[in-house]
Amino acid sequence: MKPGRQNLILEIISEQSIETQHQLLEALTERGVKSTQATLSRDIKDMRLVKELGNDGKYRYVSAAKTETEDFDKRLKKIFKESVISYDVAQNLLVIKTLPGLAPAACSAIDAMDINGLVGTLAGDDTAFLAMRDNEYAMKLYHEIEMLF
């Protein structure tokens, strides 16, 4: 039901200028789909719909195009996951060991991830150092890296 409703939402916003959730709810009802405002709000968030200023000077819902950044992020995370051999934390520094020659790729992946608290990275041939703002940020990132593996 959710995929069908969301596909219908995309169809509606591509055909009509929908300014409010209430208008979208009415358009769904007209097409025989009952929904609540809360469900619609979740759908909008899940689908990453945004309001864009139209030529008529009014804001309307549009589908946010899948950004190249998201694809780039996935590729970099994959590179990172496949290149790292081990990692450890030493106060506010993370030390990452990679396959030979891949520390720069791991640092590039990390730099592109927009990590909160990351001050900078330094890559050698098979070792990367990540300077974090403090020990707490270092531990958070350490646990995030654990989750990647």
Side-chain angles (χ1 to χ4, degrees):
M1 181 135 158
K2 181 178 181 177
R5 183 181 60 248
Q6 289 185 349
N7 285 334
L8 186 56
I9 290 170
L10 290 174
E11 187 178 306
I12 291 168
I13 66 170
S14 69
E15 295 171 356
Q16 302 174 36
S17 182
I18 302 291
E19 297 177 51
T20 65
Q21 288 185 12
H22 182 72
Q23 287 177 331
L24 186 53
L25 201 54
E26 286 178 349
L28 282 171
T29 303
E30 287 172 7
R31 295 187 184 205
V33 175
K34 292 184 180 182
S35 184
T36 65
Q37 189 278 326
T39 298
L40 185 57
S41 185
R42 281 190 297 273
D43 284 340
I44 288 169
K45 183 178 178 183
D46 289 347
M47 298 166 61
R48 296 183 180 185
L49 298 183
V50 295
K51 285 192 174 181
E52 181 178 83
L53 185 62
N55 294 335
D56 58 0
K58 296 180 181 177
Y59 284 92
R60 63 186 215 104
Y61 280 107
V62 295
S63 177
K66 186 175 181 182
T67 64
E68 290 179 25
T69 306
E70 290 173 350
D71 291 335
F72 187 64
D73 240 12
K74 288 178 186 175
R75 286 195 313 252
L76 287 176
K77 284 180 182 179
K78 183 177 180 181
I79 289 168
F80 179 75
K81 187 175 179 179
E82 292 177 357
S83 67
V84 172
I85 295 172
S86 66
Y87 51 94
D88 206 348
V89 67
Q91 294 187 10
N92 72 318
L93 295 176
L94 268 94
V95 180
I96 298 174
K97 294 293 217 169
T98 68
L99 295 170
L102 294 179
C107 281
S108 177
I110 291 165
D111 287 337
M113 287 182 197
D114 192 30
I115 297 170
N116 197 19
L118 179 66
V119 177
T121 61
L122 178 66
D125 181 53
D126 64 355
T127 305
F129 290 94
L130 283 65
M132 303 302 292
R133 189 159 316 284
D134 59 30
N135 297 358
E136 187 178 325
Y137 280 116
M139 285 308 297
K140 281 183 183 179
L141 181 57
Y142 177 85
H143 293 299
E144 287 180 32
I145 292 171
E146 278 183 322
M147 292 175 66
L148 275 177
F149 293 95

